Amino acid sequence: MRNRLILLLLIVVSFFLQCTLMKWIAVGSVSPNLLVVLCVSIGLLCGKSSGLFAGFLTGLLVDLFYSYYPGIHAAFYMYLGFASGFFHKVYYDDDIKVPILLAVAGDFVYDFLTYVFLFLLQGNTDFFFYLRRVILPEIIYTLVLTAFVYRLYYKIIHRFMRVRFKESDSLWLAK
């Protein structure tokens, strides 16, 4: 119960930071996607089920406040958190390369699916314009943000949540 409450608080704070601070530091109307970093971090640090839960709640908040199509962002973030949870047991927590790569891949998939479901189906077919003006700048911006924010999420999760880490859970250690 304590883990879920801390996770819920982390989601709400990250959502409000995404809605306020990230829009304030936007460059050319492109801002980093803090919510993708959150879903990837929760999936990596806590596993598939927590990543799924965090992704669904994050997407539900986005759908409630910003979306015309309910459930679409919840599905995107939910699958992102679940997919990043597959890497929970196969990487070192203090290694920054895996979260950065997953955040970049997740941001690309999220933006590509957003293009397909929200723009392409409405008749906007200029993908390369969207790639050049939105997807690539957001990926670069999210990459830089992940390098800093992942450490913060890592410290919060390890400090306040009761995540059990055993040597037997690690695939890197010989059994």
Side-chain angles (χ1 to χ4, degrees):
M1 183 69 173
R2 178 182 171 189
N3 288 355
R4 297 290 180 183
L5 288 175
I6 292 171
L7 188 62
L8 182 65
L9 182 66
L10 196 60
I11 291 168
V12 170
V13 168
S14 296
F15 176 73
F16 284 125
L17 285 175
Q18 177 71 36
C19 296
T20 56
L21 182 67
M22 296 303 144
K23 300 297 180 192
W24 184 69
I25 63 171
V27 175
S29 75
V30 174
S31 63
N33 198 335
L34 181 64
L35 301 177
V36 167
V37 177
L38 173 72
C39 292
V40 166
S41 299
I42 297 295
L44 280 173
L45 295 171
C46 300
K48 292 182 278 191
S49 62
S50 294
L52 184 93
F53 178 74
F56 178 73
L57 288 180
T58 301
L60 192 63
L61 280 173
V62 172
D63 284 333
L64 287 174
F65 284 95
Y66 293 110
S67 182
Y68 294 111
Y69 305 106
I72 195 161
H73 290 96
F76 293 166
Y77 284 116
M78 182 177 66
Y79 290 130
L80 178 64
F82 184 72
S84 64
F86 279 104
F87 295 91
H88 171 64
K89 293 184 180 179
V90 296
Y91 91 105
Y92 293 113
D93 289 341
D94 57 349
D95 185 22
I96 194 71
K97 293 183 292 281
V98 173
I100 286 177
L101 290 175
L102 283 177
V104 166
D107 196 28
F108 177 77
V109 169
Y110 174 79
D111 287 337
F112 180 75
L113 290 175
T114 301
Y115 169 76
V116 168
F117 286 105
L118 299 179
F119 293 108
L120 184 65
L121 295 178
Q122 293 179 356
N124 299 331
T125 58
D126 194 5
F127 174 72
F128 293 108
F129 176 79
Y130 189 76
L131 178 73
R132 189 177 59 245
R133 292 290 185 140
V134 176
I135 294 177
L136 291 178
E138 185 175 314
I139 285 174
I140 292 169
Y141 217 176
T142 302
L143 183 140
V144 171
L145 179 75
T146 304
F148 298 107
V149 174
Y150 175 75
R151 293 286 182 202
L152 178 65
Y153 287 146
Y154 176 80
K155 289 179 182 179
I156 290 172
I157 288 171
H158 280 284
R159 172 86 168 113
F160 297 110
M161 292 179 71
R162 292 183 182 130
V163 181
R164 290 184 171 66
F165 297 102
K166 302 176 191 171
E167 287 186 13
S168 62
D169 287 343
S170 178
L171 295 177
W172 297 106
L173 298 174
K175 295 180 181 177

Coordinates of all heavy atoms in Angstrom, one line a residue, residues 33-122:
N33 N 9.6 15.1 -22.7 CA 8.5 14.3 -22.2 C 8.9 13.6 -20.9 O 9.4 12.5 -20.9 CB 8.0 13.2 -23.2 CG 6.7 12.7 -23.0 OD1 6.2 12.7 -21.8 ND2 6.0 12.2 -24.0
L34 N 8.6 14.3 -19.8 CA 8.9 13.8 -18.4 C 8.1 12.5 -18.1 O 8.6 11.7 -17.4 CB 8.7 14.9 -17.4 CG 9.0 14.6 -16.0 CD1 10.5 14.3 -15.8 CD2 8.5 15.7 -15.1
L35 N 6.9 12.4 -18.7 CA 6.1 11.3 -18.3 C 6.6 10.0 -19.0 O 6.5 8.9 -18.4 CB 4.7 11.5 -18.8 CG 4.0 12.8 -18.1 CD1 2.7 13.0 -18.7 CD2 4.0 12.6 -16.6
V36 N 7.3 10.1 -20.1 CA 7.9 8.9 -20.7 C 9.1 8.5 -19.8 O 9.3 7.3 -19.6 CB 8.4 9.2 -22.1 CG1 9.3 8.1 -22.6 CG2 7.2 9.3 -23.1
V37 N 9.8 9.4 -19.3 CA 11.0 9.1 -18.4 C 10.4 8.5 -17.2 O 11.0 7.5 -16.6 CB 11.8 10.4 -18.1 CG1 12.9 10.1 -17.2 CG2 12.3 11.0 -19.4
L38 N 9.3 8.9 -16.6 CA 8.7 8.4 -15.4 C 8.3 6.9 -15.7 O 8.6 6.0 -14.9 CB 7.5 9.2 -15.0 CG 6.7 8.6 -13.8 CD1 7.5 8.7 -12.5 CD2 5.4 9.3 -13.7
C39 N 7.6 6.7 -16.8 CA 7.1 5.3 -17.0 C 8.3 4.3 -17.2 O 8.3 3.2 -16.8 CB 6.2 5.3 -18.2 SG 4.7 6.1 -17.9
V40 N 9.3 4.8 -18.0 CA 10.5 3.9 -18.2 C 11.2 3.7 -16.9 O 11.6 2.6 -16.6 CB 11.5 4.6 -19.2 CG1 12.8 3.9 -19.2 CG2 10.8 4.5 -20.6
S41 N 11.4 4.7 -16.0 CA 12.0 4.6 -14.7 C 11.3 3.6 -13.8 O 11.9 2.7 -13.2 CB 12.2 5.9 -14.1 OG 13.0 6.8 -14.8
I42 N 10.0 3.7 -13.7 CA 9.2 2.9 -12.9 C 9.3 1.4 -13.4 O 9.4 0.5 -12.6 CB 7.7 3.3 -12.8 CG1 7.7 4.7 -12.1 CG2 6.9 2.3 -12.0 CD1 8.1 4.8 -10.7
G43 N 9.2 1.2 -14.7 CA 9.3 -0.1 -15.2 C 10.6 -0.7 -15.0 O 10.7 -1.9 -14.6
L44 N 11.7 0.0 -15.2 CA 13.0 -0.5 -14.9 C 13.3 -0.8 -13.5 O 13.9 -1.8 -13.1 CB 14.1 0.5 -15.5 CG 14.3 0.5 -16.9 CD1 15.3 1.6 -17.3 CD2 14.9 -0.8 -17.4
L45 N 12.9 0.1 -12.6 CA 13.2 0.0 -11.2 C 12.3 -0.9 -10.4 O 12.7 -1.5 -9.4 CB 13.3 1.3 -10.5 CG 14.4 2.3 -11.1 CD1 14.2 3.6 -10.5 CD2 15.8 1.7 -10.7
C46 N 11.0 -1.0 -10.8 CA 10.1 -1.8 -10.0 C 9.5 -3.0 -10.7 O 8.8 -3.8 -10.1 CB 8.9 -0.8 -9.6 SG 9.5 0.6 -8.6
G47 N 9.6 -3.1 -12.0 CA 9.1 -4.3 -12.7 C 7.9 -4.0 -13.6 O 7.5 -2.9 -13.7
K48 N 7.4 -5.1 -14.3 CA 6.4 -4.9 -15.3 C 5.1 -4.5 -14.7 O 4.4 -3.6 -15.3 CB 6.2 -6.3 -16.0 CG 7.3 -6.7 -16.8 CD 7.0 -8.0 -17.6 CE 7.3 -9.1 -16.6 NZ 7.3 -10.4 -17.3
S49 N 4.6 -5.0 -13.6 CA 3.3 -4.7 -13.1 C 3.3 -3.2 -12.6 O 2.3 -2.5 -12.8 CB 2.9 -5.6 -12.0 OG 3.8 -5.6 -10.9
S50 N 4.3 -2.8 -11.9 CA 4.4 -1.4 -11.5 C 4.5 -0.4 -12.6 O 3.9 0.6 -12.7 CB 5.6 -1.2 -10.5 OG 5.4 -1.9 -9.3
G51 N 5.3 -0.8 -13.7 CA 5.4 0.0 -14.9 C 4.0 0.1 -15.6 O 3.7 1.2 -16.1
L52 N 3.3 -1.0 -15.6 CA 1.9 -1.0 -16.2 C 1.0 -0.1 -15.4 O 0.3 0.7 -16.0 CB 1.4 -2.5 -16.2 CG 0.1 -2.7 -16.9 CD1 0.3 -3.1 -18.4 CD2 -0.7 -3.8 -16.2
F53 N 1.0 -0.2 -14.1 CA 0.2 0.6 -13.3 C 0.5 2.1 -13.4 O -0.3 2.9 -13.6 CB 0.4 0.2 -11.8 CG -0.4 0.9 -10.8 CD1 -1.7 0.8 -10.7 CD2 0.3 1.8 -10.0 CE1 -2.4 1.5 -9.7 CE2 -0.4 2.6 -9.0 CZ -1.8 2.4 -8.9
A54 N 1.8 2.4 -13.4 CA 2.3 3.8 -13.5 C 1.9 4.4 -14.9 O 1.5 5.5 -15.0 CB 3.8 3.9 -13.2
G55 N 2.1 3.6 -15.9 CA 1.8 4.0 -17.3 C 0.3 4.3 -17.5 O -0.1 5.2 -18.1
F56 N -0.5 3.4 -16.9 CA -1.9 3.6 -17.0 C -2.4 4.8 -16.3 O -3.2 5.6 -16.9 CB -2.7 2.3 -16.5 CG -4.2 2.5 -16.6 CD1 -4.8 2.4 -17.8 CD2 -4.9 2.7 -15.5 CE1 -6.2 2.6 -17.9 CE2 -6.3 2.9 -15.5 CZ -6.9 2.8 -16.8
L57 N -1.9 5.0 -15.1 CA -2.4 6.2 -14.4 C -1.8 7.5 -15.0 O -2.6 8.5 -15.1 CB -1.9 6.1 -12.9 CG -2.7 5.1 -12.0 CD1 -2.1 5.2 -10.6 CD2 -4.1 5.4 -12.0
T58 N -0.6 7.5 -15.5 CA 0.0 8.6 -16.2 C -0.8 9.0 -17.4 O -1.2 10.1 -17.6 CB 1.4 8.4 -16.5 OG1 2.1 8.1 -15.3 CG2 2.1 9.5 -17.2
G59 N -1.1 8.0 -18.2 CA -1.9 8.2 -19.4 C -3.3 8.6 -19.2 O -3.9 9.4 -19.9
L60 N -3.9 8.1 -18.1 CA -5.2 8.5 -17.7 C -5.3 9.9 -17.3 O -6.2 10.6 -17.7 CB -5.7 7.6 -16.5 CG -7.2 7.7 -16.2 CD1 -8.0 7.2 -17.3 CD2 -7.5 6.8 -14.9
L61 N -4.3 10.4 -16.6 CA -4.2 11.9 -16.3 C -4.1 12.7 -17.6 O -4.8 13.7 -17.7 CB -3.0 12.1 -15.4 CG -3.2 11.9 -13.9 CD1 -1.9 12.0 -13.1 CD2 -4.3 12.7 -13.3
V62 N -3.3 12.3 -18.5 CA -3.1 13.0 -19.8 C -4.4 13.0 -20.5 O -4.9 14.0 -21.1 CB -2.0 12.4 -20.6 CG1 -1.9 13.0 -22.0 CG2 -0.6 12.6 -19.9
D63 N -5.1 11.8 -20.6 CA -6.4 11.7 -21.3 C -7.5 12.6 -20.6 O -8.3 13.3 -21.3 CB -6.9 10.3 -21.3 CG -6.1 9.5 -22.3 OD1 -5.6 10.0 -23.3 OD2 -6.1 8.2 -22.1
L64 N -7.5 12.6 -19.3 CA -8.5 13.4 -18.6 C -8.3 14.9 -18.8 O -9.3 15.7 -18.9 CB -8.5 13.1 -17.1 CG -9.0 11.8 -16.7 CD1 -8.8 11.6 -15.2 CD2 -10.5 11.7 -17.0
F65 N -7.1 15.4 -18.9 CA -6.9 16.8 -19.0 C -6.7 17.3 -20.4 O -6.9 18.5 -20.7 CB -5.7 17.2 -18.2 CG -5.9 17.2 -16.7 CD1 -5.7 16.1 -15.9 CD2 -6.5 18.4 -16.1 CE1 -6.0 16.2 -14.6 CE2 -6.8 18.4 -14.8 CZ -6.5 17.3 -14.0
Y66 N -6.2 16.5 -21.4 CA -5.8 17.0 -22.7 C -6.3 16.3 -23.9 O -6.2 16.8 -25.0 CB -4.2 17.0 -22.7 CG -3.6 18.0 -21.8 CD1 -2.8 17.5 -20.7 CD2 -3.7 19.3 -22.0 CE1 -2.2 18.4 -19.8 CE2 -3.1 20.2 -21.1 CZ -2.4 19.7 -20.0 OH -1.8 20.6 -19.2
S67 N -6.8 15.1 -23.8 CA -7.1 14.3 -24.9 C -8.6 14.4 -25.3 O -9.5 14.5 -24.5 CB -6.8 12.9 -24.7 OG -7.0 12.1 -25.8
Y68 N -8.8 14.4 -26.7 CA -10.1 14.3 -27.2 C -10.6 12.8 -27.3 O -11.8 12.6 -27.4 CB -10.2 14.9 -28.6 CG -10.0 16.4 -28.5 CD1 -8.8 17.0 -29.1 CD2 -10.9 17.3 -27.9 CE1 -8.6 18.4 -29.0 CE2 -10.7 18.6 -27.9 CZ -9.6 19.2 -28.5 OH -9.4 20.5 -28.4
Y69 N -9.6 11.9 -27.3 CA -9.9 10.5 -27.5 C -9.5 9.8 -26.2 O -8.4 9.5 -25.9 CB -9.1 9.9 -28.7 CG -9.3 10.7 -29.9 CD1 -8.4 11.5 -30.5 CD2 -10.5 10.5 -30.6 CE1 -8.6 12.2 -31.6 CE2 -10.8 11.2 -31.8 CZ -9.8 12.1 -32.3 OH -10.0 12.8 -33.4
P70 N -10.5 9.5 -25.4 CA -10.2 8.9 -24.0 C -9.6 7.5 -24.2 O -10.0 6.7 -25.0 CB -11.5 8.8 -23.3 CG -12.6 9.0 -24.4 CD -11.9 9.7 -25.5
G71 N -8.5 7.3 -23.4 CA -7.9 6.0 -23.4 C -6.7 5.8 -24.3 O -5.9 4.9 -24.1
I72 N -6.5 6.7 -25.2 CA -5.4 6.5 -26.2 C -4.0 6.7 -25.5 O -3.1 5.9 -25.7 CB -5.6 7.3 -27.4 CG1 -4.6 6.8 -28.5 CG2 -5.3 8.8 -27.2 CD1 -5.1 7.2 -29.9
H73 N -3.9 7.8 -24.7 CA -2.6 8.0 -24.0 C -2.4 7.0 -22.9 O -1.3 6.6 -22.6 CB -2.5 9.4 -23.5 CG -2.4 10.4 -24.6 ND1 -3.5 11.1 -25.1 CD2 -1.4 10.9 -25.3 CE1 -3.1 11.9 -26.0 NE2 -1.8 11.8 -26.2
A74 N -3.5 6.6 -22.3 CA -3.4 5.6 -21.2 C -2.8 4.3 -21.8 O -2.0 3.6 -21.2 CB -4.7 5.3 -20.6
A75 N -3.3 3.9 -23.0 CA -2.7 2.7 -23.6 C -1.3 2.9 -24.0 O -0.4 2.0 -23.8 CB -3.6 2.4 -24.9
F76 N -0.9 4.0 -24.6 CA 0.5 4.3 -25.0 C 1.4 4.2 -23.8 O 2.4 3.5 -23.8 CB 0.6 5.7 -25.6 CG 0.0 5.8 -26.9 CD1 -0.2 7.1 -27.5 CD2 -0.5 4.8 -27.7 CE1 -0.8 7.3 -28.7 CE2 -1.1 4.9 -28.9 CZ -1.3 6.2 -29.4
Y77 N 1.1 4.9 -22.7 CA 2.0 4.9 -21.5 C 2.0 3.6 -20.8 O 3.0 3.1 -20.3 CB 1.6 6.0 -20.6 CG 2.0 7.4 -21.0 CD1 1.1 8.4 -21.3 CD2 3.4 7.7 -21.1 CE1 1.5 9.7 -21.7 CE2 3.8 9.0 -21.5 CZ 2.8 10.0 -21.8 OH 3.2 11.2 -22.2
M78 N 0.8 2.9 -20.8 CA 0.7 1.6 -20.2 C 1.6 0.6 -20.8 O 2.4 -0.1 -20.2 CB -0.7 1.1 -20.2 CG -1.0 -0.2 -19.5 SD -2.7 -0.7 -19.5 CE -3.0 -0.9 -21.2
Y79 N 1.6 0.5 -22.1 CA 2.5 -0.4 -22.9 C 4.0 0.0 -22.7 O 4.8 -0.9 -22.7 CB 2.1 -0.5 -24.3 CG 0.8 -1.2 -24.5 CD1 -0.2 -0.6 -25.3 CD2 0.5 -2.4 -23.9 CE1 -1.4 -1.3 -25.5 CE2 -0.7 -3.1 -24.1 CZ -1.7 -2.5 -24.9 OH -2.8 -3.1 -25.1
L80 N 4.2 1.3 -22.7 CA 5.6 1.7 -22.5 C 6.2 1.3 -21.1 O 7.3 0.8 -21.0 CB 5.7 3.3 -22.6 CG 7.0 3.9 -22.4 CD1 8.0 3.4 -23.5 CD2 6.9 5.4 -22.4
G81 N 5.4 1.5 -20.1 CA 5.8 1.1 -18.7 C 6.0 -0.4 -18.6 O 6.9 -0.9 -18.0
F82 N 5.0 -1.2 -19.3 CA 5.1 -2.6 -19.2 C 6.3 -3.1 -20.0 O 7.0 -4.0 -19.5 CB 3.8 -3.2 -19.8 CG 3.7 -4.7 -19.8 CD1 3.5 -5.3 -18.6 CD2 3.9 -5.5 -20.9 CE1 3.5 -6.7 -18.5 CE2 3.8 -6.8 -20.9 CZ 3.6 -7.5 -19.6
A83 N 6.6 -2.6 -21.2 CA 7.7 -3.0 -22.0 C 9.0 -2.7 -21.3 O 10.0 -3.5 -21.4 CB 7.6 -2.3 -23.4
S84 N 9.1 -1.6 -20.6 CA 10.4 -1.3 -20.0 C 10.6 -2.1 -18.7 O 11.7 -2.3 -18.3 CB 10.5 0.2 -19.6 OG 9.5 0.5 -18.6
G85 N 9.5 -2.7 -18.2 CA 9.6 -3.6 -17.1 C 10.3 -4.9 -17.4 O 10.7 -5.6 -16.5
F86 N 10.3 -5.3 -18.7 CA 11.0 -6.5 -19.1 C 12.5 -6.4 -18.8 O 13.2 -7.4 -18.7 CB 10.8 -6.8 -20.6 CG 9.5 -7.4 -20.9 CD1 8.4 -6.7 -21.4 CD2 9.3 -8.8 -20.6 CE1 7.2 -7.3 -21.7 CE2 8.1 -9.4 -20.8 CZ 7.1 -8.6 -21.4
F87 N 13.0 -5.2 -18.7 CA 14.5 -5.0 -18.5 C 14.8 -4.9 -17.0 O 15.9 -4.6 -16.6 CB 15.0 -3.8 -19.2 CG 14.9 -3.9 -20.7 CD1 13.7 -3.5 -21.4 CD2 15.9 -4.4 -21.4 CE1 13.6 -3.6 -22.7 CE2 15.8 -4.6 -22.8 CZ 14.7 -4.2 -23.4
H88 N 13.8 -5.1 -16.1 CA 14.0 -4.9 -14.7 C 15.1 -5.8 -14.1 O 15.9 -5.3 -13.3 CB 12.6 -5.2 -14.0 CG 12.7 -5.3 -12.5 ND1 13.0 -4.2 -11.7 CD2 12.5 -6.3 -11.7 CE1 13.0 -4.6 -10.5 NE2 12.7 -5.8 -10.4
K89 N 15.2 -7.0 -14.5 CA 16.1 -7.9 -13.9 C 17.4 -8.1 -14.7 O 18.3 -8.9 -14.3 CB 15.5 -9.3 -13.7 CG 14.4 -9.3 -12.7 CD 13.8 -10.7 -12.5 CE 12.7 -10.7 -11.5 NZ 12.2 -12.0 -11.2
V90 N 17.5 -7.4 -15.8 CA 18.7 -7.7 -16.7 C 19.7 -6.5 -16.8 O 20.5 -6.5 -17.7 CB 18.3 -8.2 -18.1 CG1 17.6 -9.5 -18.0 CG2 17.4 -7.2 -18.8
Y91 N 19.6 -5.5 -15.9 CA 20.5 -4.4 -16.0 C 20.8 -3.9 -14.6 O 20.1 -4.2 -13.7 CB 19.9 -3.3 -16.9 CG 19.2 -2.3 -16.1 CD1 19.7 -1.0 -15.8 CD2 17.9 -2.5 -15.6 CE1 19.0 -0.1 -15.1 CE2 17.2 -1.6 -14.8 CZ 17.8 -0.4 -14.6 OH 17.1 0.5 -13.8
Y92 N 21.9 -3.3 -14.5 CA 22.3 -2.7 -13.2 C 21.6 -1.4 -13.0 O 21.5 -0.6 -13.9 CB 23.8 -2.4 -13.2 CG 24.6 -3.7 -13.2 CD1 25.4 -4.0 -14.3 CD2 24.6 -4.6 -12.1 CE1 26.2 -5.2 -14.3 CE2 25.3 -5.7 -12.1 CZ 26.1 -6.0 -13.2 OH 26.9 -7.2 -13.2
D93 N 21.1 -1.2 -11.8 CA 20.3 0.0 -11.5 C 21.1 1.3 -11.6 O 20.6 2.4 -11.9 CB 19.8 0.0 -10.0 CG 18.7 -1.1 -9.9 OD1 18.1 -1.4 -10.9 OD2 18.4 -1.5 -8.7
D94 N 22.4 1.3 -11.4 CA 23.2 2.5 -11.4 C 23.7 2.8 -12.8 O 24.4 3.8 -13.0 CB 24.3 2.4 -10.4 CG 25.2 1.2 -10.6 OD1 24.9 0.3 -11.4 OD2 26.3 1.2 -10.0
D95 N 23.4 2.0 -13.8 CA 23.9 2.2 -15.2 C 22.8 3.1 -15.8 O 21.7 2.9 -15.8 CB 24.0 0.9 -15.9 CG 24.5 1.0 -17.3 OD1 25.2 2.0 -17.5 OD2 24.3 0.1 -18.1
I96 N 23.3 4.2 -16.4 CA 22.4 5.2 -17.0 C 22.1 5.0 -18.5 O 21.2 5.5 -19.0 CB 23.0 6.6 -16.8 CG1 22.0 7.7 -17.0 CG2 24.3 6.9 -17.6 CD1 20.9 7.8 -16.1
K97 N 22.9 4.1 -19.1 CA 22.8 3.9 -20.6 C 21.4 3.3 -20.9 O 20.8 3.7 -21.9 CB 23.9 3.1 -21.1 CG 25.3 3.8 -21.1 CD 26.4 3.0 -21.7 CE 26.7 1.8 -20.9 NZ 27.5 1.9 -19.8
V98 N 21.0 2.2 -20.2 CA 19.8 1.5 -20.5 C 18.6 2.4 -20.3 O 17.7 2.5 -21.2 CB 19.7 0.2 -19.6 CG1 18.3 -0.4 -19.8 CG2 20.8 -0.7 -20.0
P99 N 18.4 3.2 -19.2 CA 17.3 4.1 -19.1 C 17.3 5.2 -20.2 O 16.2 5.5 -20.7 CB 17.5 4.8 -17.8 CG 18.3 3.8 -17.0 CD 19.2 3.2 -18.0
I100 N 18.4 5.7 -20.6 CA 18.5 6.7 -21.7 C 18.0 6.0 -23.0 O 17.2 6.6 -23.7 CB 19.9 7.3 -21.8 CG1 20.1 8.2 -20.6 CG2 20.0 8.0 -23.1 CD1 21.5 8.9 -20.6
L101 N 18.5 4.8 -23.3 CA 18.1 4.2 -24.6 C 16.6 3.8 -24.6 O 16.0 4.0 -25.6 CB 19.0 2.9 -24.8 CG 20.4 3.2 -25.1 CD1 21.2 1.9 -25.2 CD2 20.5 3.9 -26.5
L102 N 16.1 3.4 -23.4 CA 14.7 3.0 -23.4 C 13.8 4.3 -23.4 O 12.8 4.3 -24.0 CB 14.4 2.2 -22.1 CG 14.8 0.8 -22.2 CD1 14.5 0.1 -20.8 CD2 14.1 0.0 -23.3
A103 N 14.3 5.4 -22.8 CA 13.5 6.6 -22.9 C 13.5 7.2 -24.3 O 12.4 7.6 -24.8 CB 14.1 7.6 -21.9
V104 N 14.6 7.1 -25.0 CA 14.7 7.6 -26.4 C 13.8 6.7 -27.3 O 13.0 7.2 -28.1 CB 16.1 7.6 -26.9 CG1 16.2 7.7 -28.4 CG2 16.9 8.7 -26.2
A105 N 13.9 5.4 -27.1 CA 13.0 4.5 -27.9 C 11.6 4.7 -27.6 O 10.7 4.7 -28.4 CB 13.5 3.0 -27.7
G106 N 11.3 4.8 -26.3 CA 9.9 5.0 -25.8 C 9.3 6.3 -26.3 O 8.1 6.4 -26.7
D107 N 10.1 7.3 -26.3 CA 9.6 8.6 -26.8 C 9.4 8.6 -28.3 O 8.4 9.2 -28.8 CB 10.7 9.7 -26.4 CG 10.1 11.1 -26.6 OD1 8.9 11.3 -26.4 OD2 10.9 12.1 -26.8
F108 N 10.3 7.9 -29.0 CA 10.0 7.8 -30.5 C 8.8 7.0 -30.8 O 7.9 7.4 -31.6 CB 11.2 7.1 -31.2 CG 11.0 6.9 -32.6 CD1 11.1 7.9 -33.5 CD2 10.6 5.6 -33.1 CE1 10.9 7.7 -34.9 CE2 10.4 5.4 -34.5 CZ 10.5 6.5 -35.3
V109 N 8.6 5.9 -30.1 CA 7.4 5.1 -30.3 C 6.1 5.9 -29.9 O 5.1 5.8 -30.6 CB 7.5 3.7 -29.5 CG1 6.1 3.0 -29.5 CG2 8.5 2.9 -30.1
Y110 N 6.2 6.6 -28.8 CA 5.1 7.4 -28.3 C 4.7 8.5 -29.3 O 3.5 8.6 -29.7 CB 5.4 8.0 -26.9 CG 4.3 9.0 -26.5 CD1 3.1 8.5 -25.9 CD2 4.5 10.3 -26.6 CE1 2.2 9.4 -25.5 CE2 3.5 11.2 -26.2 CZ 2.4 10.7 -25.6 OH 1.4 11.6 -25.2
D111 N 5.7 9.2 -29.8 CA 5.5 10.2 -30.8 C 5.0 9.7 -32.1 O 4.1 10.2 -32.8 CB 6.7 11.1 -31.0 CG 7.0 12.0 -29.8 OD1 6.0 12.3 -29.1 OD2 8.1 12.4 -29.7
F112 N 5.5 8.5 -32.5 CA 5.1 7.9 -33.8 C 3.7 7.4 -33.7 O 2.9 7.7 -34.6 CB 6.0 6.7 -34.1 CG 5.6 6.0 -35.4 CD1 5.9 6.6 -36.6 CD2 5.0 4.8 -35.4 CE1 5.5 6.0 -37.8 CE2 4.6 4.2 -36.5 CZ 4.9 4.8 -37.8
L113 N 3.3 6.8 -32.6 CA 1.9 6.4 -32.4 C 1.0 7.6 -32.3 O -0.2 7.5 -32.8 CB 1.8 5.5 -31.2 CG 2.4 4.1 -31.3 CD1 2.3 3.3 -30.0 CD2 1.8 3.3 -32.4
T114 N 1.4 8.6 -31.7 CA 0.6 9.8 -31.6 C 0.4 10.4 -33.0 O -0.7 10.8 -33.3 CB 1.3 10.9 -30.7 OG1 1.5 10.4 -29.4 CG2 0.5 12.2 -30.7
Y115 N 1.4 10.4 -33.8 CA 1.3 10.8 -35.2 C 0.3 9.9 -36.0 O -0.6 10.4 -36.6 CB 2.6 10.8 -35.9 CG 2.5 11.0 -37.4 CD1 2.2 12.2 -38.0 CD2 2.6 9.9 -38.3 CE1 2.1 12.4 -39.3 CE2 2.4 10.1 -39.7 CZ 2.1 11.3 -40.2 OH 2.0 11.5 -41.5
V116 N 0.4 8.6 -35.8 CA -0.4 7.7 -36.6 C -1.9 7.8 -36.1 O -2.8 8.0 -37.0 CB 0.0 6.2 -36.4 CG1 -1.0 5.3 -36.9 CG2 1.4 6.0 -37.1
F117 N -2.2 7.8 -34.8 CA -3.5 7.8 -34.4 C -4.2 9.2 -34.3 O -5.4 9.3 -34.4 CB -3.6 7.1 -33.0 CG -3.5 5.7 -33.1 CD1 -2.3 5.1 -32.7 CD2 -4.5 4.9 -33.6 CE1 -2.1 3.7 -32.7 CE2 -4.3 3.5 -33.6 CZ -3.2 2.9 -33.2
L118 N -3.4 10.2 -34.1 CA -4.0 11.5 -33.9 C -3.8 12.5 -35.1 O -4.6 13.5 -35.2 CB -3.5 12.2 -32.7 CG -3.7 11.5 -31.4 CD1 -3.1 12.2 -30.2 CD2 -5.2 11.2 -31.2
F119 N -2.9 12.2 -36.0 CA -2.7 13.1 -37.1 C -2.9 12.4 -38.5 O -3.6 12.9 -39.3 CB -1.2 13.7 -37.1 CG -1.0 14.6 -36.0 CD1 -0.2 14.3 -34.9 CD2 -1.6 15.9 -35.9 CE1 0.0 15.1 -33.8 CE2 -1.4 16.7 -34.9 CZ -0.6 16.3 -33.8
L120 N -2.3 11.2 -38.6 CA -2.4 10.5 -39.9 C -3.9 10.1 -40.2 O -4.3 10.3 -41.4 CB -1.5 9.3 -39.9 CG -1.5 8.5 -41.2 CD1 -0.9 9.4 -42.3 CD2 -0.7 7.2 -41.1
L121 N -4.6 9.7 -39.2 CA -6.0 9.3 -39.4 C -6.9 10.5 -39.7 O -8.0 10.3 -40.1 CB -6.5 8.5 -38.3 CG -5.8 7.1 -38.1 CD1 -6.3 6.4 -36.9 CD2 -6.0 6.2 -39.3
Q122 N -6.4 11.7 -39.4 CA -7.2 12.9 -39.7 C -6.8 13.5 -41.0 O -7.3 14.6 -41.4 CB -7.0 13.9 -38.6 CG -7.6 13.5 -37.3 CD -7.4 14.5 -36.2 OE1 -6.7 15.5 -36.4 NE2 -7.9 14.3 -35.0

